[in-house]
Amino acid sequence: MPRVIVDCAIYRDGHRTEGPSDFSDALDEARAAGDAFVWIGLHEPTEKEFELVASEFALHPLAVEDALNAHQRPKLEVYDDSLFVVLKPVVYDDDADTVSTGELMLFLGDSFVVTVRHGEGSPLARVRRRLEQDPELLAHGPTAVLYAVSDDVVDHYIEVSAMLQADLDDLEAEVFAPPGGDTRHTASRIYSFKRQVVEFRRATVPLTEPVIRLAASGLPFVDERARPFFRDVSDHLTRANESVDGLDRLLTDILSAHLAQMGVQQNDDMRKISAWAAMAAVPTMVAGVYGMNFDHMPELREPWGYPAVLILMAGLVFWLHRLFKRRGWL
């Protein structure tokens, strides 16, 4: 168990206190105090490791199964003895241009909070430190932990969307750069970027409904006085969702513009090829006519025949070149 327990502490009146090392005894002590709660943090526990925690805190089997298996959509479930919330923290690797998501589960109940984290995204140590520096907020109990964690996750959504927007601006500049650059991999880059935005959307959009429920009234284990705070989280989440929608629409427009540019470039190349082929065909046709072995071709007996034919071919090619140049084919 020490391998998966990141931290375990009792909080009373917004302050961390020394308590039993065993979390079962810590929970009994917090409940006996009345104004305290236990916060235990776990990182990727196995089924056997989580079994004792689930038993001591009376966690619902379905919620325990979701917490162990991970790969859940953001959601909020209400059970008899606890509230179960799933969040998906997002991490953006600017060097590799990839979006990765972790999973963060919170169990809220009578005098306890249990957090289960999968992946490396959104470590909770900084959230715990920030809360411990704000005793007034932490005094609201488990609700304060839920608010601080969800606020941290959603605020990071906005940071990631800003980083994606900056990279998208670079990609847009590449697409609309003057012709002549290497655009062979541009379409694949746009498609890869779109996949990252889709991954980002899977984390942000499903979280809208749980946050709205938290901002409303009537949920057990959630302090009514926290409703304005969750409304603030909802506003930030709306901004993140709008940003994701904007990124998705802009990517679609950029891809359409790139494909249109490729079509125009191909048409331009075909015009150039056709123009050069036409200029090559004229002297070939003339030479083919005079290459036929007929006896009755008067020009063959004239001393000016050969230079005249050369001048004719050169004149026709020059005239075609001027014509195609004037029409923009060359």
Side-chain angles (χ1 to χ4, degrees), residues 237-255:
L237 182 60
T238 300
R239 285 174 51 197
N241 283 329
E242 289 175 349
S243 179
V244 172
D245 290 339
L247 289 171
D248 189 51
R249 288 194 301 269
L250 187 57
L251 273 170
T252 300
D253 294 341
I254 290 175
L255 181 59

Side-chain angles (χ1 to χ4, degrees), residues 25-251:
D25 296 335
L27 178 60
D28 293 336
E29 182 177 319
R31 285 175 172 170
D35 59 349
F37 71 95
V38 177
W39 180 2
I40 177 172
L42 307 174
H43 182 242
E44 297 183 352
T46 64
E47 182 177 355
K48 185 176 181 180
E49 291 168 336
F50 197 52
E51 183 179 353
L52 180 58
V53 177
S55 175
E56 288 295 332
F57 291 91
L59 305 181
H60 195 280
L62 292 178
V64 171
E65 181 181 356
D66 289 342
L68 289 173
N69 295 334
H71 305 295
Q72 304 295 317
R73 286 166 54 89
K75 63 180 181 178
L76 185 153
E77 300 286 351
V78 179
Y79 297 103
D80 294 336
D81 299 318
S82 62
L83 189 72
F84 179 59
V85 180
V86 179
L87 304 172
K88 292 185 77 70
V90 171
V91 177
Y92 182 56
D93 186 347
D94 197 24
D95 295 330
D97 292 338
T98 56
V99 171
S100 59
T101 58
E103 292 196 34
L104 188 57
M105 289 83 166
L106 295 95
F107 296 87
L108 272 74
D110 179 20
S111 302
F112 72 85
V113 178
V114 177
T115 55
V116 181
R117 185 164 61 89
H118 292 268
E120 299 303 321
S122 188
L124 296 179
R126 67 172 182 268
V127 179
R128 191 185 287 259
R129 286 194 300 269
R130 190 169 69 245
L131 274 173
E132 290 176 353
Q133 293 171 2
D134 189 356
E136 185 178 351
L137 176 60
L138 194 54
H140 288 86
T143 303
V145 177
L146 176 58
Y147 160 70
V149 172
S150 58
D151 184 61
D152 182 77
V153 170
V154 172
D155 283 349
H156 194 61
Y157 287 164
I158 298 176
E159 295 174 9
V160 170
S161 66
M163 289 187 286
L164 285 171
Q165 183 64 58
D167 286 350
L168 184 57
D169 290 341
D170 294 339
L171 183 59
E172 185 179 17
E174 177 184 324
V175 170
F176 292 102
D182 186 7
T183 60
R184 291 175 297 174
H185 304 294
T186 301
S188 62
R189 284 192 59 198
I190 296 173
Y191 181 73
S192 176
F193 206 109
K194 195 171 182 65
R195 287 182 61 89
Q196 306 311 314
V197 172
V198 169
E199 183 70 18
F200 192 14
R201 181 192 291 272
R202 288 173 182 163
T204 64
V205 174
L207 186 58
T208 303
E209 188 267 340
V211 172
I212 291 176
R213 290 178 62 188
L214 288 169
S217 59
L219 283 178
F221 311 112
V222 177
D223 194 330
E224 288 291 324
R225 293 172 294 178
R227 291 171 59 190
F229 295 95
F230 286 113
R231 281 199 296 268
D232 182 65
V233 175
S234 180
D235 290 341
H236 291 181
L237 182 60
T238 300
R239 285 174 51 197
N241 283 329
E242 289 175 349
S243 179
V244 172
D245 290 339
L247 289 171
D248 189 51
R249 288 194 301 269
L250 187 57
L251 273 170

Side-chain angles (χ1 to χ4, degrees), residues 267-283 316-317 320-325 327-330:
N267 290 337
D268 189 49
D269 292 342
M270 287 302 299
R271 285 198 301 266
K272 291 180 180 179
I273 292 172
S274 300
W276 286 108
M279 287 188 291
V282 168
L316 288 173
V317 170
L320 286 174
H321 186 272
R322 290 289 303 274
L323 177 64
F324 292 142
K325 195 78 171 179
R327 293 187 175 181
W329 284 37
L330 291 175

Side-chain angles (χ1 to χ4, degrees), residues 282-283 286 290 303-319:
V282 168
V286 174
Y290 284 95
W304 47 264
Y306 182 69
V309 171
L310 290 180
I311 293 172
L312 174 64
M313 290 190 293
L316 288 173
V317 170
F318 179 75
W319 175 76

